[in-house]
Amino acid sequence: MATAAVLALGIAPFILALAGYHWAAFGSPLRTGYAYSTDEANRRGFMGIVGFSQQSVAQLLWTPDNGLLVLSPWTALVPVGAIYVAADAERRARVGRETLVAAFIVAVYLLFVASLEPEFGRGGWELGPRYIAVAMPFAAWLAVAGIEAVRRVPVLRVPALALVLAGVLMIPVLLLLRFRRATAIRVSA
């Protein structure tokens, strides 16, 4: 209990400073700059958070131009890694807490992005789902555990490593194609 009180006291000045800024800049401590955005998607729901929709989930996971499983196919190994650690007492004792934290962070970000207004979650010219980059190191940590799990099954080794290789090669190629498309649009305008 004492730790929570100290933590709250440590956080309080920053929360008050942020609330003061919002009050001075936007007229209320609970109003953000999104209230004045010219993009209607930012003003829907609570700062673009509107709840789950089939379109948001599809856009997050499997649409060809933005889906996480399409652009970073190695992320299919994330649940495999989490289950691999959770299924064995020795692995849980060694890295169970880290696995739990990583899985929690990945799950929270996936749920967050899946609950955004589809247009807002897409986010324009970026490559991949918006806001998910923060969770990717934790997803990678779990994917490594997934690779360890499938490494023990010879028939799954090559497909698992192919997922990783496809993700590594896909991002630079798609970035180059998007850059070429953006410059072509700029030149023709």
Side-chain angles (χ1 to χ4, degrees), residues 1-159:
M1 189 65 164
T3 304
V6 169
L7 185 61
L9 283 173
I11 293 171
F14 299 99
I15 291 175
L16 290 173
L18 182 62
Y21 166 76
H22 282 269
W23 199 338
F26 309 118
S28 167
L30 300 178
R31 186 176 296 135
T32 68
Y34 284 119
Y36 302 98
S37 174
T38 58
D39 187 357
E40 181 65 32
N42 291 337
R43 293 191 304 252
R44 288 191 200 115
F46 176 71
M47 297 190 306
I49 302 171
V50 295
F52 300 110
S53 72
Q54 186 176 3
Q55 184 181 0
S56 290
V57 172
Q59 184 173 283
L60 167 64
L61 295 176
W62 51 77
T63 56
D65 65 336
N66 198 61
L68 188 62
L69 293 170
V70 175
L71 299 175
S72 297
W74 58 267
T75 57
L77 296 166
V78 168
V80 175
I83 292 167
Y84 177 68
V85 172
D88 183 73
E90 182 183 327
R91 284 189 291 273
R92 277 194 317 271
R94 193 166 40 94
V95 292
R97 290 180 181 170
E98 293 87 346
T99 302
L100 186 61
V101 168
F104 178 76
I105 290 170
V106 169
V108 165
Y109 273 92
L110 288 173
L111 292 172
F112 168 64
V113 175
S115 67
L116 289 172
E117 169 69 32
E119 180 186 331
F120 190 52
R122 175 91 175 100
W125 285 87
E126 92 289 341
L127 189 59
R130 188 175 194 173
Y131 300 122
I132 205 72
V134 175
M136 294 308 281
F138 301 97
W141 193 89
L142 292 167
V144 168
I147 291 170
E148 176 64 24
V150 298
R151 189 177 67 87
R152 299 169 185 273
V153 183
V155 71
L156 296 178
R157 256 186 239 158
V158 171

